[in-house]
Amino acid sequence: MELPILIETLSAALEHDTVHLLRDQLEDVHPADYAAALTEFPPQDLWTLLTALPRAEQAEVFGYLPAEQQVKLAISVSRRKLSPIIRQMSSDERADLFNRLTDEQRDTLLPALAQAEREDLLRLTSYEEGTAGAIMTSDYAILPPDLTVREAIEVLRREAPDKETIYSAYVVDKARKLIGVVSLRDLILAPVSMRVDDLMNHDPIWASVDMPQEEVAALIAKYDLLALPIVNELEQMVGIVTYDDAMDVAEEEATEDFHKTATIGKLESSVKEAGIGLLYRKRVFWLVVLVFGNIFSGAGIAFYEETISSYLALLFFLPLLIASSGNAGAQSGTLMVRALATGDIKLRDWGYLLGKECLVAGLLGLTMSAAVVGLGFWRGGADIAVVVASTMMLVVVVGSLIGMSLPFLLSRFNLDPATASGPLITSIADVAGVVLYFSIATWYLGL
């Protein structure tokens, strides 16, 4: 069912008080689609529509709701109503919600959980934000190595309803140390009398609880894993990070990098939910800094006031030239920032890439010079054409090298290279463009 039709169906059910009939109508609707439709309703109606579903489906749909909506419901709904849903949620989603609540709300929620669930929740939420431990789930399947294939399949059949995934089962010893991994496919295809120890992969890919979450996502992508086992400092298995959680991390990191390229700090909520004050605070600092940075452009223009007054035609080309410098720098900077983020290049590659960028930028500069030389001749004659073409060549090269080098420089000092893109590179390239343009004009025109 398409989203607009689904929203219309839910609205009609609320209007005619037929919410109790929704179960049969929405039998084939995916929980993610249902959650997307629920976000269009106020909290009270959202809760009414959510609780029209069977209990297990309520938890699944709740997990698909945006974080802000989950928190609003957790605050507005009584513990008695909310706790059954919380108990049905997967352990990692439950931990994510718990981390977003205030201390008072946490104290209210904890007594509603069984002791084992409470201990698991407190353990999962104890890990530092942004690490593997903070995004892992404890709902995974384990097997001892001495089971036969027949016995292992029986164990997985019993445990399947309560586990995040059983496509991979993790083999641990008596001390719960990870010693191998075996896929459900291998178990199904193997002889039933074969031992798990003889079938498993004895050298599994794993990560520690304190590994940064972006590195965990990169491992999962690199090795095409459905889930990555997580171990503690004693090499004991404590959880898994699933592929869908890795995708969420990748999306979060990409969004954060996009914000940084526009010199906007990390937003803890969506743009839609963010308040005016938060958006103002995240954007104002760099805008003010760049205002003062652009003063240097103005100072450069003022310094060459005599050149400008002698050849007013030069002003016509000023926006064109400094914009070209900034655009070339932004292109180069974006390429470097992304390549550094994905590990495609390292700091040691700067020298090689510098030479490569000089060649590429030189070709770009020549092409753009050829594109504007005719315009320069038309507006100001042969002398102006030479100045404009020469400047175009230089500003494209210089802007490109600034854009390429700044991310490396920031990385060298352990700063986030994403901050180097967009407005910051453009502002620096603008200043360089102004100085180069009028320096060349003053020299060539003999002023």
Side-chain angles (χ1 to χ4, degrees), residues 180-257:
V181 61
V182 61
S183 70
L184 182 59
R185 181 179 184 274
D186 289 341
L187 287 172
I188 292 173
L189 296 177
V192 293
S193 59
M194 189 175 185
R195 293 176 68 248
V196 169
D197 187 46
D198 298 325
L199 183 63
M200 71 182 185
N201 173 8
H202 289 79
D203 189 26
I205 307 298
W206 54 270
S208 62
V209 291
D210 55 356
M211 177 180 282
Q213 62 180 17
E214 58 269 24
E215 293 182 21
V216 172
L219 275 178
I220 291 175
K222 179 179 180 179
Y223 295 104
D224 291 326
L225 301 174
L226 291 176
L228 179 70
I230 307 298
V231 302
N232 61 17
E233 63 277 3
L234 301 177
E235 297 185 8
Q236 296 171 319
M237 188 161 177
V238 291
I240 62 171
V241 175
T242 55
Y243 186 81
D244 58 324
D245 289 326
M247 289 181 62
D248 291 339
V249 168
E251 181 183 2
E252 178 186 330
E253 294 294 328
T255 300
E256 185 177 341
D257 284 346

Side-chain angles (χ1 to χ4, degrees), residues 73-344:
L73 285 179
I75 294 172
S76 61
V77 176
S78 68
R79 187 181 74 184
R80 181 180 61 81
K81 293 180 179 179
L82 185 64
S83 56
I85 293 179
I86 301 298
R87 285 197 294 267
Q88 289 286 335
M89 292 175 69
S90 62
S91 60
D92 56 332
E93 291 179 343
R94 188 162 54 213
D96 288 341
L97 173 61
F98 191 77
N99 279 330
R100 296 185 183 100
L101 300 177
T102 65
D103 291 339
E104 183 180 351
Q105 292 161 352
R106 293 176 183 179
D107 293 339
T108 301
L109 180 61
L110 279 176
L113 303 175
Q115 182 175 351
E117 294 170 335
R118 189 160 58 242
E119 291 175 354
D120 180 63
L121 177 61
L122 293 174
R123 181 175 63 83
L124 289 176
T125 54
S126 67
Y127 296 106
E128 185 180 352
E129 194 68 25
T131 63
I135 60 172
M136 71 182 183
T137 177
S138 55
D139 298 331
Y140 57 93
I142 60 171
L143 297 171
D146 54 353
L147 291 183
T148 64
V149 167
R150 184 194 302 276
E151 292 168 335
I153 291 175
E154 285 299 319
V155 169
L156 294 180
R157 182 178 286 116
R158 290 195 304 269
E159 293 187 355
D162 300 321
K163 303 305 177 185
E164 185 93 4
T165 178
I166 60 166
Y167 295 115
S168 294
Y170 303 94
V171 185
V172 298
D173 61 16
K174 293 181 179 178
R176 210 177 176 81
K177 289 187 177 181
L178 178 66
I179 58 174
V181 61
V182 61
S183 70
L184 182 59
R185 181 179 184 274
D186 289 341
L187 287 172
I188 292 173
L189 296 177
V192 293
S193 59
M194 189 175 185
R195 293 176 68 248
V196 169
D197 187 46
D198 298 325
L199 183 63
M200 71 182 185
N201 173 8
H202 289 79
D203 189 26
I205 307 298
W206 54 270
S208 62
V209 291
D210 55 356
M211 177 180 282
Q213 62 180 17
E214 58 269 24
E215 293 182 21
V216 172
L219 275 178
I220 291 175
K222 179 179 180 179
Y223 295 104
D224 291 326
L225 301 174
L226 291 176
L228 179 70
I230 307 298
V231 302
N232 61 17
E233 63 277 3
L234 301 177
E235 297 185 8
Q236 296 171 319
M237 188 161 177
V238 291
I240 62 171
V241 175
T242 55
Y243 186 81
D244 58 324
D245 289 326
M247 289 181 62
D248 291 339
V249 168
E251 181 183 2
E252 178 186 330
E253 294 294 328
T255 300
E256 185 177 341
D257 284 346
F258 269 117
H259 289 164
K260 286 179 179 177
T261 59
T263 58
I264 297 171
K266 180 180 178 181
L267 290 176
E268 299 299 337
S269 63
S270 68
V271 174
K272 181 179 179 180
E273 297 290 334
I276 293 174
L278 175 62
L279 292 174
Y280 168 79
R281 291 193 302 273
K282 292 296 182 180
R283 297 172 62 179
V284 67
F285 173 76
W286 276 107
L287 286 178
V288 173
V289 169
L290 294 175
V291 163
F292 288 99
N294 287 327
I295 287 176
F296 291 103
S297 296
I301 293 172
F303 183 78
Y304 291 102
E305 188 175 344
E306 184 179 341
T307 301
I308 295 171
S309 62
S310 300
Y311 292 88
L312 289 177
L314 292 172
L315 282 178
F316 176 82
F317 297 97
L318 181 60
L320 180 150
L321 291 169
I322 63 174
S324 297
S325 177
N327 290 339
Q331 279 187 342
S332 181
T334 300
L335 289 173
M336 294 304 111
V337 168
R338 187 58 184 164
L340 285 167
T342 59
D344 183 35

